[in-house]
Amino acid sequence: MAQNDTVTRILDAAEVLFAEQGFAETSLRTITAKAGVNLAAVNYHFGSKKALIQAVFARFLGPFYKLIEVSLDMHEKQHPDSVLSIEDILKFVARAMANVTEGDRNRLAIFMRLLGLAYNQGQGHLRKFLQTEYRTLYRRVMALIARATPELQPVERYWRFHFMLGAAAFTLSSMEHLRAIVEHDFNTKCTEEEVVGYLLPFLAAGIRAK
Amino acid sequence: MAQNDTVTRILDAAEVLFAEQGFAETSLRTITAKAGVNLAAVNYHFGSKKALIQAVFARFLGPFYKLIEVSLDMHEKQHPDSVLSIEDILKFVARAMANVTEGDRNRLAIFMRLLGLAYNQGQGHLRKFLQTEYRTLYRRVMALIARATPELQPVERYWRFHFMLGAAAFTLSSMEHLRAIVEHDFNTKCTEEEVVGYLLPFLAAGIRAK
DNA sequence: TGTACATCAGTGAACGCGCGTTCACTGATGTAC
DNA sequence: TGTACATCAGTGAACGCGCGTTCACTGATGTAC
């Protein structure tokens, strides 16, 4: 078994189990059993459980980060003086996310669950890790939003941005669960795309309130 | 030490520690040390750690549940035919929450953090517990929202309701952390009331989008 | 009023268990001479 | 081409630790006769 294979199998298993159960609730024994690798392999390849958690995130964030940067770069090159609307900005983010999780429909929900968990659980190392990884992108997106909502005070814009983030993170991370309720209560199935289709107008209207 | 005292001390300590660290990350030894009671007292009074977690929730949910029911009852009695606007409904909920956590400014954040954790962590027993406890209230609030937004399709209304829930839960649960960033980035302090003052218009605009 | 018993909050110490981590080791592959 | 050595992915078993839980016990209070 090539190194690449074992590492990937561990990351795949950990990603799913973390999202299903949380970080503390998932043991290395469960992960390695699901991955079909030796228990000691996690510490051999990653050094610790903490480092494994960060590696699971890095595998999502890296491509997402690059994709959105590249697509923003491209747009700015093609339309140097255009001011993006909130809807445009949200579409850029949504498209990058869809592309990163493409191929496996479940990964979007997993990604958001992990994000939600990271914010609420094990506070320390993960939040710091995310903040340093995200800082440049965060500033860039914030600057775009500021240009799209010149009427807002900075502090109010900051809060509204986090209201959007919260609505998105909470909903997408509980997507599976919420969709089951929809199916039960309304006899309708919702695809991820449809939910995102509902979400974006909500967010755009919210940030433009009043 | 009267029974009441020990039980209360355990609940007080557990409430804070759970919100700070999560459920799995908080040991009974930490809780009982903070509460100044014997380790075995938790299992003596509550039976298990799981039951303690549910008791922590029940102490919040019970009063909150009753308060909002009573205030809605009162309003319907005084204005039998009035149709509440979204803003009115949100104000009812916000006021009940403020009253329940009154006396200790921190408890609102703790309450929301616990809610967020319950949704994301330890999936099983807590989500079920919340759903059975909340069902009647959930249906009543949903019916009010439906009357306030007759133009929405049921499925879209369902989703928008959960977008609101997500924005509120995520933001209020990370309130402490987000307020620290505001203070650092904008040199401004935000009270909980101000944040809720920002939040409600955002939610109302979101659910009325398009 | 006094004695025997029941109840119950609270305790201290121990239990077994599953956890993350460590370590000595194997075996395959690559490299130097 | 052959030999000696280095590297490194992967392994199996064990380590110590902290966890939730259990249990026999104490001591205060209430109750029955």
Side-chain angles (χ1 to χ4, degrees), chain A residues 92-109:
Chain A
F92 268 102
V93 176
R95 204 184 310 139
M97 230 167 228
N99 283 341
V100 164
T101 57
E102 196 184 30
D104 185 346
R105 301 274 74 229
N106 242 342
R107 292 192 84 210
L108 179 61

Side-chain angles (χ1 to χ4, degrees), chain A residues 58 61-62 65 128-138:
Chain A
L61 291 183
Y65 183 90
K128 277 226 173 80
F129 173 76
L130 282 176
Q131 269 169 19
T132 43
E133 286 282 310
Y134 259 138
R135 179 165 297 148
T136 326
L137 182 59
Y138 169 80

Side-chain angles (χ1 to χ4, degrees), chain B:
Chain B
M1 203 183 285
Q3 174 194 358
N4 185 28
D5 196 21
T6 300
V7 169
T8 306
R9 292 162 69 88
I10 292 173
L11 286 172
D12 286 344
E15 177 180 301
V16 173
L17 289 169
F18 283 153
E20 276 175 16
Q21 311 180 332
F23 301 119
E25 290 82 356
T26 307
S27 72
L28 294 185
R29 279 165 181 81
T30 317
I31 293 169
T32 51
K34 186 183 172 83
V37 305
N38 188 277
L39 165 63
V42 170
N43 275 276
Y44 177 75
H45 285 291
F46 298 95
S48 67
K49 187 182 181 181
K50 212 181 258 190
L52 170 62
I53 295 175
Q54 293 186 356
V56 168
F57 267 88
R59 196 166 63 146
F60 273 112
L61 291 183
F64 172 70
Y65 183 91
K66 257 175 203 151
L67 227 100
I68 197 166
E69 292 251 292
V70 166
S71 66
L72 283 176
D73 286 347
M74 261 183 54
H75 180 267
E76 280 175 9
K77 213 172 172 183
Q78 286 171 7
H79 312 86
D81 297 319
S82 82
V83 174
L84 289 173
S85 69
I86 283 292
E87 277 83 358
D88 292 333
I89 300 170
L90 291 175
K91 270 180 212 153
F92 269 101
V93 177
R95 205 184 311 137
M97 229 166 229
N99 283 342
V100 164
T101 56
E102 197 184 28
D104 186 346
R105 302 274 73 230
N106 242 341
R107 288 191 86 213
L108 178 61
I110 294 176
F111 187 12
M112 297 312 292
R113 273 210 66 127
L114 288 174
L115 262 180
L117 284 174
Y119 247 77
N120 281 313
Q121 217 176 330
Q123 356 172 65
H125 72 111
L126 250 182
R127 201 137 76 188
K128 278 223 172 82
F129 174 77
L130 282 176
Q131 269 168 19
T132 44
E133 287 282 310
Y134 258 138
R135 180 166 297 150
T136 327
L137 183 59
Y138 169 79
R139 290 208 177 122
R140 184 169 185 182
V141 171
M142 258 312 204
L144 289 174
I145 292 178
R147 285 218 286 164
T149 57
E151 74 283 4
L152 288 182
Q153 297 295 317
V155 174
E156 182 150 30
R157 181 158 50 228
Y158 168 86
W159 282 106
R160 289 191 180 182
F161 171 75
H162 281 93
F163 298 153
M164 294 195 342
L165 198 68
F170 180 90
T171 317
L172 299 183
S173 73
S174 314
M175 173 106 66
E176 207 176 341
H177 174 233
L178 294 173
R179 275 166 65 206
I181 298 179
V182 168
E183 208 172 327
H184 177 267
D185 286 6
F186 303 102
N187 271 313
T188 321
K189 292 202 182 195
C190 287
T191 64
E192 275 93 350
E193 283 81 4
E194 282 171 331
V195 176
V196 173
Y198 289 138
L199 177 59
L200 298 192
F202 175 94
L203 299 179
I207 205 165
R208 273 201 300 253
K210 224 185 213 172

